[in-house]
Amino acid sequence: MTSIEVQYYALLREQAGVSRERVDTPATTPAALYEELQARYGFTLARAQLRVAINGEFADWNAVLPLGAEVVFIPPVAGG
Amino acid sequence: MARFEFSERALDTLALQESLTDRACGGYASFEGWVRDFNDGRQVARLEYEAYALLAVKEGERIVAEAIERFGVTHARCVHRIGNLPLGELAVWVGVSSPHRGEAFAACRYIIDEVKHRVPIWKKEHYLDGDSGWVNCERCAAAPATTAAGTHDHHDHAHEHHDHDETLAPTAIGVHAPGLPQPDYSRQQVLPEVGAAGQARLRAARVLVIGAGGLGTPVLSYLAGAGIGTLGVIDGDVLDASNLHRQTLYALADVGRPKALLAAERLRALNPEVDVRAYVQRADAEQLPALAAGFDVLVDCSDNFRTRFLVNDVAVRLGKPAVIASVYQYEGQLQVLTPSSACLRCIWPDGAHDGLVGNCAEAGVLGPVAGVLGSMQALEVLKLLLGLDSPAIGAVVLVDLRTLETRRLRAPRAAGCDAGACMRLPSATAVAMELEVELDLSAEGTIADWTMVDLRELTETVASPLALAHLHLPLAQLLADPARLPPGPRYLLVCARGQRSRGAAEALRAAGRDGIWSLRGGLAAQPRR
């Protein structure tokens, strides 16, 4: 299990009900982590519609989550 | 010899011409603007010119230097009168000498057009009936037919000249008399990063704002207040009462009127020195590329992904920086793209689809959230224009205004995109980068925004000469050395039937050049008069 700091934006924040939380997870990639959280919160956005950043930089869904990583899930937003 | 100056005394054109003579020059072109007796339906008795000399001379010198660099002419000079001028008096003189005539004509026209557009000169008309009124010449971006020596300057005021600006109501020219308060940029100019030089850069800048809503209104207000020279605003919507909690330029009584026109009206009142161009239309793939080519920075303040990605794609294709933002409830995203940074498609390779996540109407937003993000966009535009670095370049800045947390996420360029071109732009059908334009060259003002290049062979041009200012560069010569057209102006390539010019425009675009169009159908398609 790894302890990951997760941040949510926009629709994900609404659906998770929090803007950040610490998650203990067996996931080793952001893809697996999103899958786990999607099951927990019922996120309606598919992974392909999001981007993920690890430690302040946009990253690949199959990147390896480093120990104590800070992960941000970002959907695009449209309003203006 | 000053390249740009003001004179309180009558001009000696022979002496001026003499100052440009050079054995290396085979061509000399000049333009003279004269005091005319009739304007806007009134008989004019005499004129009085005033200028902010300090700013005006610097801007004028910059224009002449630009013309020399752009067109490669040998000498260029402009003198503008100030003080009282009787009818028929010479008010402004431009002279250019160069090895060949084509560049001399083009540079001469460039100088007079830009001087009228950018140099702060005020004109007071004294009418035969004893009345008088101040007229801001800056608004009168000249469209008179150019430009052999001695051509009359029509200086006609009863219109806006921008041919693409038909939606703009012909409103009164910014009347701006001495005695009334003047724009004062001292509070920003005192910053060491701004100063007089920075202020002049802002004044010379052209910024296009796409969307005059929650993000667009603060962007426009701050940029007009900062003294940006030209502000374009595109918005196809009319004002709705539900906009007012976040769109601070407007009032309840404005509901139902087009936002682009309302914004233009308010911005002109805020700062009459700004040339505001309003476009009541949605930004679409047909028109945005040609329109955007005339601006230095694009600011996306739209409320949908279709437009946002279009602005991104046009900015990437034209190699122009863009400042992009969007809001959602209590948060926003900000991104600045430059030709060397990641673009939206590096981050969202599959695009994004409207309806996926809400816009302001569907998801809700607190007014100041749009205000904060719009203000950040205005700031990023000023930083770009002042040459200040920004952490928002090559990154997405996430702002959560509920927690007041800001996150900056670095966005590397997608692999394969570092050659100066985005690999993920949709095909030409998705973003129609039109190669051809349909223009009536004989209509007044049509070519004011273009630098025309005649691609025909010498024998053809002798048989059927082109009366308008242009560069002559036969097709083979252009293709052998595209650098003969320095970047900067919007070029209109012309030939007899529009085939050579289309091919040349296509080749130059493929080689990464922007700002190049072909006259559809060539000269043969022009209406005969």
Side-chain angles (χ1 to χ4, degrees):
Chain A
M1 297 287 267
T2 325
S3 180
I4 305 276
E5 173 86 13
V6 183
Q7 283 186 46
Y8 306 103
Y9 280 87
L11 192 59
L12 297 178
R13 173 182 50 75
E14 268 186 275
Q15 292 174 345
V18 291
S19 60
R20 64 158 72 219
E21 64 177 339
R22 186 160 282 282
V23 178
D24 290 319
T25 174
T28 56
T29 64
L33 178 62
Y34 186 72
E35 201 173 323
E36 181 187 329
L37 295 167
Q38 193 169 24
R40 186 185 304 175
Y41 294 117
F43 291 145
T44 51
L45 291 173
R47 207 181 70 199
Q49 295 156 346
L50 306 178
R51 283 305 311 270
V52 64
I54 302 172
N55 293 337
E57 181 154 340
F58 284 94
D60 196 83
W61 284 103
N62 294 313
V64 175
L65 285 174
L67 214 59
E70 205 181 35
V71 172
V72 186
F73 293 113
I74 315 117
V77 303
Chain B
M1 173 182 89
R3 285 169 171 177
F4 181 92
E5 60 195 312
F6 287 103
S7 171
E8 291 178 6
R9 291 192 309 271
L11 306 183
D12 177 352
T13 51
L14 276 179
L16 288 167
Q17 179 183 333
E18 190 75 13
S19 72
L20 300 182
T21 48
D22 188 317
R23 291 264 166 98
C25 294
Y28 162 76
S30 74
F31 173 85
E32 296 184 5
W34 301 344
V35 176
R36 198 182 43 174
D37 69 349
F38 201 77
N39 179 42
D40 222 359
R42 302 186 74 174
Q43 288 283 328
V44 175
R46 65 186 171 87
L47 281 185
E48 203 177 324
Y49 284 100
E50 271 191 17
Y52 290 130
L54 196 69
L55 269 182
V57 168
K58 277 188 185 161
E59 189 66 12
E61 280 182 347
R62 185 172 299 113
I63 291 166
V64 177
E66 284 167 9
I68 291 173
E69 197 186 321
R70 254 178 211 202
F71 300 100
V73 296
T74 312
H75 303 290
R77 206 175 161 187
C78 175
V79 188
H80 204 297
R81 281 293 310 276
I82 44 176
N84 274 300
L85 276 73
L87 293 182
E89 186 90 351
L90 176 56
V92 55
W93 176 90
V94 180
V96 176
S97 57
S98 67
H100 306 288
R101 68 188 182 284
E103 305 87 84
F105 275 121
C108 187
R109 168 155 202 145
Y110 178 83
I111 292 170
I112 186 62
D113 284 355
E114 293 296 309
V115 163
K116 290 203 160 187
H117 202 66
R118 286 159 53 186
V119 178
I121 298 168
W122 305 97
K123 184 169 82 163
K124 188 176 193 177
E125 293 180 334
H126 293 266
Y127 306 109
L128 269 190
D129 58 17
D131 197 6
S132 66
W134 286 91
V135 178
N136 178 1
C137 286
E138 185 188 21
R139 277 284 157 68
C140 311
T146 326
T147 67
T151 306
H152 266 275
D153 173 10
H154 295 294
H155 210 260
D156 187 354
H157 292 114
H159 47 55
E160 295 277 355
H161 300 278
H162 321 296
D163 53 308
H164 48 262
D165 195 355
E166 293 159 351
T167 48
L168 190 56
T171 50
I173 306 305
V175 175
H176 190 106
L180 287 176
Q182 304 287 310
D184 179 344
Y185 308 110
S186 59
R187 294 303 190 274
Q188 66 188 34
Q189 220 171 309
V190 76
L191 290 166
E193 293 79 10
V194 183
Q199 193 61 49
R201 290 175 82 159
L202 300 183
R203 181 176 190 87
R206 300 164 180 226
V207 179
L208 180 62
V209 179
I210 297 99
L215 293 166
T217 47
V219 168
L220 290 163
S221 300
Y222 280 117
L223 294 184
I228 298 294
T230 304
L231 267 182
V233 50
I234 306 183
D235 198 308
D237 288 342
V238 295
L239 186 70
D240 187 87
S242 67
N243 298 152
L244 290 169
H245 79 125
R246 66 186 188 284
Q247 302 184 12
T248 53
L249 268 180
Y250 312 125
L252 197 56
D254 299 326
V255 166
R257 293 183 58 203
K259 292 204 274 191
L261 294 183
L262 284 169
E265 191 179 296
R266 301 292 138 83
L267 297 171
R268 289 185 186 119
L270 193 159
N271 189 346
E273 287 188 344
V274 178
D275 179 2
V276 184
R277 303 181 182 189
Y279 306 93
V280 183
Q281 63 188 58
R282 281 182 78 85
D284 63 37
E286 292 289 303
Q287 295 179 46
L288 190 63
L291 186 58
F295 290 86
D296 307 320
V297 180
L298 311 185
V299 191
D300 173 63
C301 299
S302 66
D303 61 356
N304 61 84
F305 291 124
R306 188 191 59 80
T307 306
R308 185 153 298 132
F309 278 83
L310 173 65
V311 173
N312 176 81
D313 297 348
V314 169
V316 171
R317 290 267 169 121
L318 297 179
K320 296 190 187 281
V323 178
I324 293 177
S326 52
V327 291
Y328 182 87
Q329 297 187 339
Y330 302 95
E331 57 192 83
Q333 300 182 0
L334 173 72
Q335 186 181 354
V336 178
L337 12 142
T338 67
S340 58
S341 76
C343 81
L344 275 189
R345 291 189 187 275
C346 291
I347 300 167
W348 307 103
D350 303 322
H353 302 287
D354 288 304
L356 189 71
V357 291
N359 57 27
C360 292
E362 295 153 7
V365 66
L366 280 187
V369 173
V372 169
L373 269 294
S375 300
M376 291 175 85
Q377 284 184 288
L379 190 59
E380 292 302 320
V381 172
L382 295 177
K383 282 156 71 178
L384 279 171
L385 295 173
L386 293 169
L388 306 178
D389 199 15
S390 170
I393 297 173
V396 175
V397 177
L398 303 174
V399 184
D400 183 340
L401 290 162
R402 212 131 154 220
T403 60
L404 293 179
E405 269 187 288
T406 300
R407 292 271 345 209
R408 173 177 171 271
L409 303 175
R410 291 181 303 281
R413 278 191 90 134
C417 271
D418 34 30
C422 177
M423 304 302 284
R424 288 171 168 157
L425 287 189
S427 66
T429 47
V431 179
M433 298 296 295
E434 282 293 319
L435 283 173
E436 296 181 304
V437 288
E438 209 168 302
L439 293 172
D440 177 358
L441 297 179
S442 63
E444 189 175 339
T446 297
I447 64 155
D449 291 338
W450 298 94
T451 297
M452 200 154 52
V453 185
D454 188 347
L455 301 182
R456 296 175 302 163
E457 299 302 317
L458 189 62
T459 46
E460 297 175 85
T461 61
V462 168
S464 160
L466 196 51
L468 298 152
H470 67 278
L471 305 172
H472 180 227
L473 199 54
L475 179 66
Q477 285 182 35
L478 172 63
L479 293 181
D481 183 13
R484 296 280 292 274
L485 301 183
R490 293 164 78 200
Y491 290 102
L492 179 66
L493 308 184
V494 302
C495 66
R497 302 197 167 272
Q499 290 180 351
R500 277 171 288 181
S501 57
R502 191 177 198 290
E506 208 163 33
L508 292 172
R509 294 274 192 94
R513 288 290 304 268
D514 59 53
I516 295 181
W517 277 267
S518 161
L519 178 68
R520 180 170 293 151
L523 297 170
Q526 288 295 304
R528 306 213 176 269
R529 303 254 160 129

